Amino acid sequence: LVSLLLIGIAAWGIGFGLISSFRVVGVVIAVGVFLFFIALVGLIGAVKHHQVLLFFYMIILLLVFIVQFSVSCACLALNEEQQSELLEVGWSNTNSARTDIERNLNCCGFRVFYPNETCAADCLRNLHCRPCAPIMEEYAGMVLRFVGGIGLFFSFTEILGVWLTYRYRNQKDPRANPSAFI
């Protein structure tokens, strides 16, 4: 479900013109496809009671848990100064994200807008644009807490999946010949 949600959100972002960076959308879709593939491996392993598939599913799910838990904790632990630094690095490194932010938040420049710079915002027509940094900082803390909380929730469901896979993997297949285990 999470994988399909990621793919759907990426498609929604492109469809409504909120995101124009194909690199960002490509990464989100790739992560969604990867998670879908992993879920499919787990499903096939559980239906066929295939020990090797379940083992690989368990290991990969454990690695995904470690990464997701770490990223979620990092999102929740960032203070306002670190958030501001992170926003500034993102602003200075990507032109497509800058254009999307200026267009969607109706602002120009990060802290100060210089007249020789380009801007995609509508506010440039009446020459009364606010800088983007205060607007982004207003929402950054809320978004990071939301993303961190959702990430923590799903990371604990993943560790539950690892535990259940471990328990199920060590059970005998009820369809198998009972005398084969002797």
Side-chain angles (χ1 to χ4, degrees), residues 96-161:
S96 60
R98 182 183 313 167
T99 304
D100 291 340
I101 290 168
E102 287 176 343
R103 187 172 21 94
N104 290 329
L105 296 181
N106 202 22
C107 58
C108 288
F110 189 69
R111 299 238 184 253
V112 177
F113 177 65
Y114 299 104
N116 59 350
E117 293 179 357
T118 59
C119 182
D122 291 334
C123 65
L124 190 61
R125 292 186 190 130
N126 57 4
L127 299 175
H128 187 19
C129 290
R130 295 174 44 197
C132 294
I135 298 170
M136 291 188 320
E137 288 171 351
E138 179 181 333
Y139 296 108
M142 178 182 62
V143 168
L144 286 171
R145 282 191 305 275
F146 178 74
V147 168
I150 295 294
L152 274 179
F153 172 75
F154 283 113
S155 68
F156 286 118
T157 60
E158 288 166 2
I159 201 67
L160 177 66

Side-chain angles (χ1 to χ4, degrees), residues 9 14 17 20 22 41 56 62 72 75 78 80 84 91 105 110-111 125 128 135 142 147 149-150 164 168 172:
I9 287 174
I14 287 179
S20 66
F22 289 110
V41 166
F56 282 117
L62 182 64
S72 298
C75 284
L78 287 176
E80 289 182 17
S84 179
W91 180 269
L105 296 181
F110 189 69
R111 299 238 184 253
R125 292 186 190 130
H128 187 19
I135 298 170
M142 178 182 62
V147 168
I150 295 294
L164 288 173
Y168 181 72
K172 293 180 183 175

Side-chain angles (χ1 to χ4, degrees), residues 17-176:
L18 297 174
I19 303 170
S20 66
S21 172
F22 289 110
R23 187 176 295 166
V24 171
V25 172
V27 168
V28 171
I29 289 175
V31 168
V33 169
F34 173 75
L35 289 176
F36 185 77
F37 176 71
I38 296 305
L40 194 62
V41 166
L43 181 65
I44 292 170
V47 168
K48 300 281 186 181
H49 207 80
H50 196 276
Q51 298 289 318
V52 176
L53 282 179
L54 287 174
F55 176 75
F56 282 117
Y57 172 74
M58 183 176 64
I59 295 300
I60 292 172
L61 197 61
L62 182 64
L63 294 174
V64 169
F65 162 75
I66 291 169
V67 169
Q68 187 170 346
F69 183 77
S70 301
V71 169
S72 298
C73 288
C75 284
L76 293 172
L78 287 176
N79 61 26
E80 289 182 17
E81 181 181 317
Q82 292 168 330
Q83 291 173 16
S84 179
E85 290 175 16
L86 186 65
L87 290 173
E88 192 165 356
V89 167
W91 180 269
S92 62
N93 287 337
T94 57
N95 289 330
S96 60
R98 182 183 313 167
T99 304
D100 291 340
I101 290 168
E102 287 176 343
R103 187 172 21 94
N104 290 329
L105 296 181
N106 202 22
C107 58
C108 288
F110 189 69
R111 299 238 184 253
V112 177
F113 177 65
Y114 299 104
N116 59 350
E117 293 179 357
T118 59
C119 182
D122 291 334
C123 65
L124 190 61
R125 292 186 190 130
N126 57 4
L127 299 175
H128 187 19
C129 290
R130 295 174 44 197
C132 294
I135 298 170
M136 291 188 320
E137 288 171 351
E138 179 181 333
Y139 296 108
M142 178 182 62
V143 168
L144 286 171
R145 282 191 305 275
F146 178 74
V147 168
I150 295 294
L152 274 179
F153 172 75
F154 283 113
S155 68
F156 286 118
T157 60
E158 288 166 2
I159 201 67
L160 177 66
V162 168
W163 179 74
L164 288 173
T165 304
Y166 176 76
R167 296 288 306 232
Y168 181 72
R169 188 176 162 270
N170 291 325
Q171 290 180 352
K172 293 180 183 175
D173 188 359
R175 297 171 298 177

